[in-house]
Every structure is written in structure tokens, then in C-alpha cells.
Amino acid sequence: MLLQLVAALLTAAVGWLTWYAYGVYQKGQLLSGMPGPPRRPGLLNFVLGNIPDLAGSQNHFVQKQWSRQYGGIMKLRALDTYIAVVADPLIASELLRDKTLDKSRHAYQMLDAIFDDKGHSGLLTSQMTPHWRATRRAVASSLSPQSLRTSFPKIRGVVDRLVQTLMSLGPVTPVDMDLMCAKLSWDIIGLVGFDTDMGATQLSEQGQDASSGVIATVRAGMKEIEMRFVQPFRHNVWRHIFPSARAGHRNLKKVHVLVRGLLKKLRQVDPESLGNTVAGQLLRMIDASTGKPLSDDVIMPEIATMFLAGFETSGHSEAWTLYLISQHPEVEERILQELAQHELMPGPHGAGRAIRLEDLSRLTYLNCVIKEALRLYPAVPAVDRIAPRDMHVGGYFIPKDTLFWIHMYTMQRLASVHEDPDAFRPVSMCVTCVLTS
């Protein structure tokens, strides 16, 4: 009886593997004309495809090298999913302008766990449904130029507070500027988006981080999501077996408690008093399906999206920009000269005036520096789209449901577009800077 059971299980396993292999073969045949890197040898890699090459933290470097070798559109395989990686700017523009192409829920749904404890989708992870469009319109209005003008004194105040914090640490104290920039972004999002001072850039009387480790908690939760991408059974199986997976699950719960605590505070005030902030727009928004204000379960992932997807991306961008400036003294000197030209630095005229919103557009060279830093280190290295039908893209046949991976990191380092593409050259981003250099 036992032998018969084992034989039946082996037969089923062989049958499934045969079916799986044939399905992968069929999909591969449809994309056979598209170039792409081969998988590593071995039976396991036959199943995994290119996953082993992409599993490390340096996968964007790997994809950059592949795109330079195989061209502006190439194919990869992850298990039974074929991916068309796009690094050609013209092809990318064509895909992103096509409103029939939506995000892949399969690729984004893993992120839902960080934004909400009940698995709801937010602006970042949801597909472009009518509710998504309505929410996007509401949030976009709170980030308009007029809203930025209104919020600019708050932004300047948080920056001034961070500067005072850094000065209090003294000139010889080592400082993690990536962490400091993350705290800066966290506080700006809190004040501008939710009329709430999160206190991350403020030191307590004991000289400790007044945010009480909030940034560390959030980063630990985001690390758990990163682990789930490479360990698909981590949430359902591994957390019942391995202590590290259980700890990661607890870190996610702490993030959810943090976001729900903020939402509870916002519910205690009149939505009208929040003005044109993100919180004000969300709390006043009416759910088209119920005719009532949005529930906590719907609002929570939107709040989490603004904070969790916003503070790391902008914080890293700020840190990379400062790092690049620190490695190029000639760039730093030119920035200081431009600031002095607009009386924003101490000089013969005095201590220097406070920066105003209208100064931002006048600081031409500084804008070039920021744009060049974003070219080299984009806040988001890639976005995806799913083919809603059979298509021809870049001269290749793309079957329905193929995943497009539009890789900005690679695209912005193409030698065909940028001279010396891996070098930091701010003047290349601005005609005015080139003419005056």
C-alpha cells in the first residue's frame, strides 16, 4: 500500500514537472527571437531561470551589463514568467504612454503587506481602477505648485532643524547622512502631507533621536518585504519554523501599529482643518461604491504609501546627491558660488538671507547637480507594466501577459545617450551651465 502511494506521488510529480517544462518551453518559443542572457547550468536553474543572477543586492549592475550586451530590449525568465526588460528610451516612452498597459498585481501585491495589515492596495500597488484614479487626483491636488508654496515655510523649518541638529553634533562626530536624509524626508512628509510633526530630525534633551527608533522600525519592516520577494513561502511557512522570519513578521506588525496610530490621531480632528494636505483630501474623499467617507481600511494603505514609499526614495536621493557633491570639490565650490550670487551664503552683505521658494528655479547649477544625481541613482530603478494583448514592441513579438520591466537605472546610463555615462557631470544636464562653464 505504501509503495503504491509513493509510486502515485512520484507519477504526479513527474507529470507536473513535465507539464511545467512544456509550458515554459512554449512561452520561450514565442519570445525566441528576442536576445537575453542564458540561465546558469543545472537542473535547479532550469526551474529558476535567471533568478540566481538577480537575487543579490547588486542586480541593477548585472542588468546594466546585460542591456549593454543584448540591447535595449531583452528577455529574462523567473520561474515560468518571462520578462521583457526595456532599457531603450524610445520603447520605454511608447510603453508608458500606452494607457492600456497597467501594473502587474502579481509583481506588486507582495508590497501590500507593508502598507496594510489586511492586505489592501494603495496608490503604489493598486491597478488603475476608477477608485485609484479618484485617489490619485485627490492626492495630486495636495502636491500642486500652490500647495508647495503654502508648505514651503514648513519644509524650510524642518531643514533648519536638521542643520541645527547636525551642528550640535560637532565637526568630528561621524554622521550617517543617509539616515539623516531619511529622517528629513519623514518629517517633511509628516508636516506637509499630514500636518503632523513626526520629530525624527529633533534631538531629545538627552541628545537621542526623538523619533524613538521609528526609522529603524520601518526599515526593519521593509527588509522583511525584501526577504519575501526572494523567499516566496516566508510568510506562510517559514515564519512558523525560523526565528528570523517570525521576527520579520513582528516588525511588519510594528509598522502597521505606527500607521494606524497616526490615522487614529487624524480622525480626531476636523478634516477641514487639515486644508489641502494629503490627509485632508483623503478624509474628505467619498467612496463611490458606498457614498460614504473612506474607511480606515481604505485610507491606511494610502497613508503608508506616502510615508513608506516616500521617505526612503527621497531620502536616498538626497544622500546620493550629497555624497556626489562631497566627492567632487569643484562641484561644491560652484554651488557655493551660485548660492553667494543669490545672497544665500554669508559674505560682505551679511549672514545670508533665508531661501525662498522662487530661489529654487534660479539656482540653475544646483538644479543640474540634482538632476545628474537622479540620473545616476534614480529613486526607483525600475517600473513594470503587463502586456494586455499580443503586441509588437521594438521589432519583437510580445505575447499577452508578458511582464515589461522598464529599467531606468540602465536607461539613464546608456553610452548611446550620455557621454561617459557612469561619470558625474552636472553640466551635461543644463545648456546654461555648459555655456557658462
Side-chain angles (χ1 to χ4, degrees):
M1 183 68 179
L2 180 60
L3 290 177
Q4 290 177 329
L5 178 59
V6 171
L9 290 174
L10 288 175
T11 301
V14 171
W16 181 85
L17 287 173
T18 302
W19 169 82
Y20 174 88
Y22 182 68
V24 172
Y25 170 78
Q26 279 190 314
K27 292 179 182 178
Q29 287 299 107
L30 293 174
L31 290 166
S32 60
M34 184 182 295
R39 59 174 175 81
R40 297 180 184 181
L43 179 61
L44 179 60
N45 291 317
F46 170 77
V47 177
L48 296 177
N50 298 109
I51 286 180
D53 295 304
L54 301 173
S57 60
Q58 304 299 310
N59 66 80
H60 47 291
F61 290 121
V62 174
Q63 293 192 62
K64 180 183 71 173
Q65 295 303 321
W66 280 346
S67 291
R68 289 178 177 178
Q69 181 177 355
Y70 296 104
I73 181 168
M74 66 177 181
K75 66 180 177 185
L76 301 177
R77 181 170 67 82
L79 297 175
D80 62 341
T81 300
Y82 275 89
I83 304 167
V85 180
V86 176
D88 184 296
L90 295 179
I91 298 175
S93 177
E94 175 188 341
L95 294 174
L96 292 173
R97 290 174 183 274
D98 189 338
K99 300 305 181 184
T100 66
L101 272 67
D102 208 339
K103 291 176 286 189
S104 166
R105 275 297 296 150
H106 178 73
Y108 276 91
Q109 64 184 357
M110 193 77 72
L111 292 172
D112 287 341
I114 187 71
F115 296 136
D116 179 54
D117 51 1
K118 297 181 180 179
H120 291 92
S121 301
L123 273 176
L124 178 65
T125 60
S126 175
Q127 291 189 309
M128 293 182 283
T129 63
H131 172 76
W132 180 89
R133 296 181 190 280
T135 305
R136 184 180 181 222
R137 283 196 300 271
V139 171
S141 68
S142 67
L143 303 175
S144 65
Q146 181 57 44
S147 295
L148 177 60
R149 181 173 296 279
T150 303
S151 302
F152 192 75
K154 295 181 180 179
I155 297 173
R156 186 174 58 201
V158 174
V159 173
D160 289 343
R161 187 167 70 186
L162 176 62
V163 170
Q164 292 301 316
T165 297
L166 292 172
M167 291 179 64
S168 71
L169 296 175
V172 298
T173 303
V175 176
D176 182 344
M177 284 307 300
D178 184 62
L179 176 59
M180 287 296 184
C181 290
K183 292 180 178 183
L184 176 65
S185 298
W186 188 265
D187 279 357
I188 288 175
I189 293 170
L191 280 170
V192 174
F194 301 92
D195 199 28
T196 302
D197 188 349
M198 306 302 290
T201 54
Q202 186 174 2
L203 294 181
S204 67
E205 294 180 359
Q206 292 76 33
Q208 301 299 317
D209 176 6
S211 62
S212 302
V214 166
I215 302 298
T217 297
V218 172
R219 283 182 164 177
M222 297 176 78
K223 180 64 177 178
E224 171 62 15
I225 295 300
E226 182 181 329
M227 295 300 296
R228 291 184 182 186
F229 270 105
V230 296
Q231 298 176 9
F233 302 106
R234 184 177 174 87
H235 171 58
N236 296 322
V237 179
W238 299 154
R239 75 182 178 94
H240 299 293
I241 302 174
F242 299 111
S244 62
R246 286 197 296 273
H249 183 72
R250 288 195 297 270
N251 288 332
L252 277 180
K253 291 297 183 184
K254 291 178 182 178
V255 175
H256 300 151
V257 169
L258 174 68
V259 177
R260 285 203 177 272
L262 175 59
L263 177 54
K264 184 178 180 180
K265 290 180 180 179
L266 293 172
R267 286 292 193 189
Q268 295 171 355
V269 303
D270 181 2
E272 294 299 329
S273 69
L274 295 170
N276 196 35
T277 62
V278 173
Q281 291 289 352
L282 291 173
L283 291 173
R284 292 191 297 267
M285 189 174 168
I286 300 299
D287 191 330
S289 64
T290 64
K292 299 178 181 179
L294 300 180
S295 67
D296 285 3
D297 288 344
V298 175
I299 291 181
M300 180 175 167
E302 306 303 352
I303 293 178
T305 296
M306 292 296 111
F307 273 104
L308 307 185
F311 93 98
E312 283 280 58
T313 49
S314 53
H316 288 327
S317 295
E318 294 155 14
W320 275 120
T321 302
L322 291 173
Y323 169 76
L324 289 167
I325 293 171
S326 74
Q327 300 303 299
H328 296 81
E330 74 285 359
V331 172
E332 180 180 5
E333 178 61 29
R334 187 161 176 180
I335 292 173
L336 294 176
Q337 290 175 1
E338 185 173 63
L339 292 173
Q341 178 185 345
H342 293 278
E343 301 182 352
L344 295 170
M345 289 290 293
H349 55 275
R353 62 176 177 82
I355 192 169
R356 298 188 291 262
L357 179 64
E358 52 268 26
D359 289 320
L360 300 183
S361 61
R362 298 168 183 166
L363 298 172
T364 309
Y365 184 69
L366 179 57
N367 276 288
C368 292
V369 170
I370 295 171
K371 290 176 181 177
E372 177 71 348
L374 289 171
R375 179 187 73 81
L376 289 172
Y377 300 102
V380 178
V383 296
D384 75 35
R385 291 294 185 268
I386 196 79
R389 60 189 178 276
D390 291 347
M391 307 174 67
H392 282 87
V393 176
Y396 299 103
F397 173 76
I398 306 293
K400 180 182 177 182
D401 295 330
T402 298
L403 184 66
F404 289 108
W405 205 344
I406 302 170
H407 208 257
M408 278 87 72
Y409 180 88
T410 297
M411 190 185 314
Q412 293 171 186
R413 289 173 178 256
L414 290 177
S416 59
V417 178
H418 301 279
E419 180 183 346
D420 199 1
D422 293 324
F424 178 59
R425 301 174 61 251
V427 294
S428 67
M429 302 301 293
C430 179
V431 174
T432 304
C433 294
V434 173
L435 293 176
T436 58
S437 62

